[in-house]
CSV table of all heavy atoms in Angstrom, one decimal:
chain,number,residue,atom,x,y,z
A,119,TYR,N,-4.3,-6.3,-9.6
A,119,TYR,CA,-5.5,-5.6,-10.2
A,119,TYR,C,-5.5,-5.7,-11.7
A,119,TYR,O,-6.3,-5.0,-12.3
A,119,TYR,CB,-5.5,-4.2,-9.7
A,119,TYR,CG,-5.8,-4.0,-8.3
A,119,TYR,CD1,-4.9,-4.3,-7.3
A,119,TYR,CD2,-7.1,-3.6,-7.8
A,119,TYR,CE1,-5.2,-4.2,-5.9
A,119,TYR,CE2,-7.4,-3.6,-6.5
A,119,TYR,CZ,-6.4,-3.9,-5.5
A,119,TYR,OH,-6.7,-3.8,-4.2
A,120,GLY,N,-4.7,-6.5,-12.3
A,120,GLY,CA,-4.8,-6.8,-13.7
A,120,GLY,C,-3.8,-5.9,-14.6
A,120,GLY,O,-3.9,-6.0,-15.8
A,121,LYS,N,-3.0,-5.1,-13.9
A,121,LYS,CA,-2.0,-4.4,-14.7
A,121,LYS,C,-0.9,-5.3,-15.2
A,121,LYS,O,-0.3,-6.0,-14.3
A,121,LYS,CB,-1.5,-3.2,-13.9
A,121,LYS,CG,-0.6,-2.2,-14.7
A,121,LYS,CD,-0.2,-1.0,-13.9
A,121,LYS,CE,0.6,-0.1,-14.8
A,121,LYS,NZ,1.1,1.0,-14.0
A,122,PRO,N,-0.5,-5.2,-16.4
A,122,PRO,CA,0.7,-6.0,-16.9
A,122,PRO,C,1.9,-5.7,-16.1
A,122,PRO,O,2.2,-4.6,-15.7
A,122,PRO,CB,0.8,-5.6,-18.3
A,122,PRO,CG,-0.4,-5.0,-18.7
A,122,PRO,CD,-1.0,-4.4,-17.5
A,123,LEU,N,2.7,-6.7,-15.9
A,123,LEU,CA,4.0,-6.6,-15.2
A,123,LEU,C,5.1,-7.1,-16.1
A,123,LEU,O,5.1,-8.3,-16.4
A,123,LEU,CB,3.9,-7.4,-13.9
A,123,LEU,CG,5.2,-7.4,-13.0
A,123,LEU,CD1,5.6,-6.0,-12.6
A,123,LEU,CD2,5.0,-8.3,-11.8
A,124,GLU,N,6.0,-6.3,-16.4
A,124,GLU,CA,7.1,-6.7,-17.2
A,124,GLU,C,8.3,-7.1,-16.3
A,124,GLU,O,8.8,-6.4,-15.5
A,124,GLU,CB,7.6,-5.5,-18.1
A,124,GLU,CG,8.7,-5.9,-19.0
A,124,GLU,CD,9.2,-4.8,-19.9
A,124,GLU,OE1,8.6,-3.7,-19.9
A,124,GLU,OE2,10.2,-4.9,-20.6
A,125,ILE,N,8.7,-8.4,-16.5
A,125,ILE,CA,9.8,-9.0,-15.7
A,125,ILE,C,11.0,-8.9,-16.5
A,125,ILE,O,11.1,-9.4,-17.7
A,125,ILE,CB,9.5,-10.4,-15.3
A,125,ILE,CG1,8.2,-10.5,-14.5
A,125,ILE,CG2,10.6,-11.0,-14.5
A,125,ILE,CD1,7.7,-11.9,-14.1
A,126,THR,N,12.0,-8.2,-16.0
A,126,THR,CA,13.3,-8.0,-16.7
A,126,THR,C,14.4,-8.6,-15.8
A,126,THR,O,14.2,-8.9,-14.7
A,126,THR,CB,13.5,-6.5,-17.0
A,126,THR,OG1,13.7,-5.9,-15.7
A,126,THR,CG2,12.4,-5.9,-17.7
A,127,GLU,N,15.6,-8.6,-16.4
A,127,GLU,CA,16.8,-9.0,-15.6
A,127,GLU,C,17.0,-8.1,-14.5
A,127,GLU,O,17.5,-8.5,-13.4
A,127,GLU,CB,18.0,-9.1,-16.5
A,127,GLU,CG,18.0,-10.2,-17.5
A,127,GLU,CD,19.3,-10.3,-18.3
A,127,GLU,OE1,20.3,-9.7,-17.9
A,127,GLU,OE2,19.3,-10.9,-19.4
A,128,THR,N,16.6,-6.8,-14.6
A,128,THR,CA,16.9,-5.8,-13.6
A,128,THR,C,15.9,-6.0,-12.4
A,128,THR,O,16.4,-5.8,-11.3
A,128,THR,CB,16.7,-4.4,-14.2
A,128,THR,OG1,17.5,-4.3,-15.3
A,128,THR,CG2,17.0,-3.3,-13.2
A,129,ASN,N,14.7,-6.3,-12.7
A,129,ASN,CA,13.7,-6.4,-11.5
A,129,ASN,C,13.3,-7.8,-11.1
A,129,ASN,O,12.5,-8.0,-10.2
A,129,ASN,CB,12.4,-5.6,-11.9
A,129,ASN,CG,11.6,-6.2,-13.0
A,129,ASN,OD1,11.8,-7.3,-13.5
A,129,ASN,ND2,10.7,-5.4,-13.5
A,130,CYS,N,13.8,-8.8,-11.8
A,130,CYS,CA,13.4,-10.2,-11.6
A,130,CYS,C,13.6,-10.6,-10.1
A,130,CYS,O,12.7,-11.2,-9.5
A,130,CYS,CB,14.2,-11.1,-12.5
A,130,CYS,SG,13.6,-12.8,-12.4
A,131,MET,N,14.7,-10.3,-9.5
A,131,MET,CA,15.0,-10.8,-8.2
A,131,MET,C,14.1,-10.1,-7.2
A,131,MET,O,13.5,-10.7,-6.3
A,131,MET,CB,16.5,-10.5,-7.8
A,131,MET,CG,16.8,-11.1,-6.4
A,131,MET,SD,16.3,-12.8,-6.1
A,131,MET,CE,17.6,-13.7,-7.0
A,132,GLU,N,13.8,-8.8,-7.4
A,132,GLU,CA,12.9,-8.1,-6.5
A,132,GLU,C,11.5,-8.6,-6.6
A,132,GLU,O,10.8,-8.8,-5.6
A,132,GLU,CB,12.9,-6.6,-6.8
A,132,GLU,CG,14.2,-5.9,-6.5
A,132,GLU,CD,14.2,-4.4,-6.9
A,132,GLU,OE1,13.6,-3.7,-6.2
A,132,GLU,OE2,14.8,-4.1,-7.9
A,133,ILE,N,11.1,-8.9,-7.8
A,133,ILE,CA,9.7,-9.5,-8.0
A,133,ILE,C,9.6,-10.8,-7.4
A,133,ILE,O,8.6,-11.2,-6.7
A,133,ILE,CB,9.4,-9.5,-9.5
A,133,ILE,CG1,9.2,-8.1,-10.1
A,133,ILE,CG2,8.1,-10.3,-9.8
A,133,ILE,CD1,9.1,-8.0,-11.6
A,134,TYR,N,10.7,-11.6,-7.5
A,134,TYR,CA,10.7,-13.0,-6.9
A,134,TYR,C,10.6,-12.9,-5.4
A,134,TYR,O,9.8,-13.6,-4.8
A,134,TYR,CB,12.0,-13.7,-7.4
A,134,TYR,CG,12.0,-15.1,-6.8
A,134,TYR,CD1,11.3,-16.1,-7.4
A,134,TYR,CD2,12.8,-15.4,-5.7
A,134,TYR,CE1,11.3,-17.4,-6.9
A,134,TYR,CE2,12.9,-16.7,-5.3
A,134,TYR,CZ,12.1,-17.7,-5.9
A,134,TYR,OH,12.1,-19.0,-5.4
A,135,ILE,N,11.3,-12.0,-4.8
A,135,ILE,CA,11.3,-11.8,-3.3
A,135,ILE,C,9.9,-11.5,-2.9
A,135,ILE,O,9.4,-12.2,-1.9
A,135,ILE,CB,12.3,-10.7,-2.9
A,135,ILE,CG1,13.7,-11.2,-3.1
A,135,ILE,CG2,12.0,-10.3,-1.4
A,135,ILE,CD1,14.8,-10.1,-2.9
A,136,LEU,N,9.2,-10.6,-3.5
A,136,LEU,CA,7.8,-10.2,-3.1
A,136,LEU,C,6.9,-11.3,-3.4
A,136,LEU,O,6.0,-11.6,-2.6
A,136,LEU,CB,7.4,-8.9,-3.8
A,136,LEU,CG,7.9,-7.6,-3.2
A,136,LEU,CD1,7.3,-6.5,-3.9
A,136,LEU,CD2,7.7,-7.5,-1.7
Side-chain angles (χ1 to χ4, degrees):
Y119 290 76
K121 186 174 180 185
L123 176 62
E124 183 179 353
I125 301 173
T126 65
E127 287 183 23
T128 306
N129 67 12
C130 184
M131 184 51 75
E132 293 178 75
I133 291 172
Y134 183 76
I135 290 168
L136 282 185

